[in-house]
Amino acid sequence: MTRTKLPFGSWPSPISAADLSASGHPVEGGRFVGEEIWWSEMRPTEGGRTTVCRTVDGEVQSLLSEPYNARTRVHEYGGGAWTATADGRIVFAEFSDQRVYVTRPGETPVPLTDKPEIAASVRYAELSIFGDEVLAVRETHEGGEITRDICAIGLDGTGVRSLVSGSQFLAYPRLSPDASKLAWIAWNHPQMPWNGTELRVADLETGQWKTVLGSTEESVLQPEWIDDDSLYVISDRTGWWNIYRTSVDGFVEPVHAAEADFGAPLWQLGARWYSVLDDGKLLTVRTFGTDTLGVLDPSTGSIADIDLGALTSVSLGGRSGSTVLLKAGGAHSPSGLRRLDLGTGELVDIRSGLETVPDAGYLPHGELRTFQGADREVHAIAYAPRNPEFDGLDGELPPYVAFVHGGPTAHVAPALNLAFAYFTSRGIGVIDVNYGGSSGYGREYRNRLRGQWGVVDVEDTVAAVTGLADAGLADPARLAIEGGSAGGWTVLAALTSSDVFACGASYYGVAELELFVAETHDFESRYIDGLIGPLPEALDLYRTRAPVNNVDGLSCPVLLLQGLSDPIVPPSQAERFRDAMVRKGIPHAYLAYEGESHGFRKLETQVNARESELSFYGQVLGFTPPGIPKLELWRP
């Protein structure tokens, strides 16, 4: 087949922005309910709501009719918004009012919790069934104050009772087998759960509790009872999140020591990295760059890895005997729900996160790369332009977009990402960067960002893109950068402090710090203490690091995209940066979306945002993407 030569960026592609959203329905939380497999999925075509699904006669069936939306706002990032009883009832937190409801498939949900005077002021997350009650983390907003506790909700409608409190944040409520003790994870401001947490155990008869493990410099996660007096728990006391055995009296010993993470930052409640099997062994996921599934024998400390082929991202779902559910994906396989038989190794697809997958010829190949920064290595994944019908012009190098993840503690691995394919199939390369501060490489790598936010993340992203350009793979004059949330901060910081990038797109990015810490939500209101420094001591740093105060160093166009209902990074952040660009006369566009929060969920928003981003790159980097509406830029 003869390939046509066209300028990079102008290749026709069968992958549309609508395909990215209409085809996508991210799948989470697989579990067994009797003989059935249930899971949750987000539906952009249904206003971005989350429903619970199962298959019936090979067809996917939604168990929650519109407009019900199983989504919790605890910590604003939620997690554990639904669970199921053994007899097939769904228990879920409804997004609109944050009350907990119970229902059977096809029936009208009935509330289990009272309606508060102020809508959504009492929220519940990390729901789990224990006997005839639902354990939950409860978050109460009252009179400007926010409190949290662990509570039990009666499945028979008898109400809610508080079990324990005593800290600003709580996670992982776990009742002992005899129900006499409750274990949980606790932490307080200014800690984030990846900095330092405590494992606490309470005697429910006396109400007395004690700290068993953890500190402000030790992050402990996911306690699971072994018996009535001992537990497994994850701790990063060695610099890596490893699994330990501990007793309620404080005895601690490692189960398996490894320079890999059997855990990750707790952004969403309910995350799990190991599961106790019927024979007492542990099914585990460990990460160093990519994920590896393995069975750990606590009696010997040995681990036997399970070959999942090209699946490089794995998280655990429910289990029935030796059959487990995984959410897994790879560079050539879309993320989705899969069933694994631990006895035979058989892996069966249950539900893909994508309705349709483009022809493989239009999908990029993710290549793990390591670049040398100023004094450290930087990990990234490069996706070169790829289209079976087109090549670039002779002597032309492709433009590249650096994707900067959020968090900034997130982690990226090679993935079949249609957003990447949207660009690469048009002749635009993508590089996905695990800059210093990212997880998946141990605590030391995460700690590189302590006090250095806006410095290390920028330096590492610059090192990755200039490394590509130095290798002759990318056009150094046509480098762009995009990111969301904390990634948006890095976009704006990079554009105002370096001349490497020709333009950038910030999705709901942080632009200013003094008002941000006052305006953002409670969970992250002290996060900047560790990333920059505490107030008032670090006030000068807050001002000098903030991109909005460095617009004099900006000389290229910027695209700002913002949800107007975002409680995490409020619209005022983007608006302040926009106003600063107007004052300096910088070409830009500001796209604000009604009804969108932190992460766009509606089909029409997602399509408009992605097409606008592509048009923006075309105008700045010198190509015309066919069939894409032109984004109007503000110009002085």
Side-chain angles (χ1 to χ4, degrees), residues 175-383:
L175 278 170
S176 61
D178 66 1
S180 68
K181 303 181 187 71
L182 180 72
W184 74 99
I185 299 298
W187 69 98
N188 291 300
H189 285 312
Q191 301 304 309
M192 300 300 286
W194 44 90
N195 301 139
T197 59
E198 296 179 358
L199 168 62
R200 294 180 177 176
V201 175
D203 183 313
L204 291 179
E205 184 175 350
T206 65
Q208 295 183 331
W209 59 265
K210 62 181 178 180
T211 295
V212 174
L213 191 67
S215 69
T216 57
E217 291 295 327
E218 178 184 1
S219 171
V220 291
L221 302 167
Q222 195 192 338
E224 304 289 355
W225 289 95
I226 303 171
D227 53 40
D228 291 328
D229 296 303
S230 60
L231 309 96
Y232 293 118
V233 69
I234 297 169
S235 165
D236 72 346
R237 55 175 43 202
T238 65
W240 300 90
W241 272 309
N242 283 186
I243 300 175
Y244 291 80
R245 183 187 292 108
T246 187
S247 70
V248 295
D249 295 325
F251 170 79
V252 181
E253 65 176 3
V255 176
H256 175 83
E259 291 190 350
D261 280 330
F262 292 76
L266 188 66
W267 282 100
Q268 288 192 305
L269 294 170
R272 298 165 62 238
W273 296 275
Y274 70 94
S275 176
V276 183
L277 302 175
D278 290 343
D279 61 4
K281 295 179 180 179
L282 307 180
L283 181 66
T284 66
V285 176
R286 71 181 188 277
T287 306
F288 186 88
T290 57
D291 294 338
T292 301
L293 188 70
V295 175
L296 173 58
D297 186 343
S299 65
T300 64
S302 62
I303 193 165
D305 291 343
I306 298 172
D307 184 6
L308 295 178
L311 300 178
T312 54
S313 296
V314 184
S315 60
L316 299 179
R319 180 179 64 86
S320 177
S322 63
T323 304
V324 298
L325 297 175
L326 308 173
K327 178 188 173 185
H332 309 291
S333 301
S335 179
L337 184 64
R338 293 170 164 87
R339 183 183 70 222
L340 174 66
D341 188 314
L342 294 173
T344 66
E346 181 186 26
L347 189 65
V348 177
D349 292 348
I350 301 298
R351 176 65 162 164
S352 172
L354 297 176
E355 199 68 41
T356 59
V357 178
D359 183 275
Y362 296 96
L363 301 177
H365 294 155
E367 179 187 358
L368 288 167
R369 295 184 65 97
T370 302
F371 299 92
Q372 186 60 48
D375 57 359
R376 57 189 177 268
E377 289 186 336
V378 180
H379 299 286
I381 304 103
Y383 300 85

Side-chain angles (χ1 to χ4, degrees), residues 512-599:
E512 181 275 348
L513 292 175
E514 292 175 73
L515 291 173
F516 169 74
V517 297
E519 294 172 342
T520 193
H521 64 139
D522 181 56
F523 179 65
E524 293 180 83
S525 62
R526 298 291 302 277
Y527 191 9
I528 309 302
D529 284 32
L531 293 173
I532 303 288
L535 288 174
E537 297 87 341
L539 181 59
D540 287 344
L541 272 180
Y542 277 49
R543 293 172 176 172
T544 57
R545 294 268 184 89
V548 74
N549 295 331
N550 296 317
V551 172
D552 284 346
L554 178 66
S555 59
C556 66
V558 180
L559 171 62
L560 303 172
L561 305 102
Q562 178 70 45
L564 291 178
S565 299
D566 191 340
I568 297 171
V569 179
S572 57
Q573 289 286 307
E575 291 162 1
R576 292 185 186 108
F577 199 84
R578 174 205 58 193
D579 294 346
M581 287 192 292
V582 169
R583 288 193 293 270
K584 194 187 177 189
I586 298 291
H588 67 274
Y590 172 51
L591 303 180
Y593 298 101
E594 292 281 354
E596 292 287 6
S597 184
H598 200 66

Side-chain angles (χ1 to χ4, degrees), residues 21 91 97 100 102 140 199 201 240 297 335 343 411 506 610:
S21 300
V91 181
D97 61 11
V100 174
V102 63
T140 303
L199 168 62
V201 175
W240 300 90
D297 186 343
S335 179
H411 172 81
S506 168
R610 195 60 72 187

Side-chain angles (χ1 to χ4, degrees), residues 133-183:
E133 292 184 306
V134 183
L135 292 183
V137 174
R138 176 170 58 179
E139 179 179 283
T140 303
H141 298 240
E142 185 175 7
E145 297 293 324
I146 299 174
T147 58
R148 298 177 182 88
D149 66 343
I150 292 171
C151 67
I153 306 166
L155 277 168
D156 58 0
T158 53
V160 184
R161 60 190 182 97
S162 181
L163 299 178
V164 295
S165 55
S167 66
Q168 291 169 313
F169 301 96
L170 311 93
Y172 293 110
R174 297 290 192 268
L175 278 170
S176 61
D178 66 1
S180 68
K181 303 181 187 71
L182 180 72

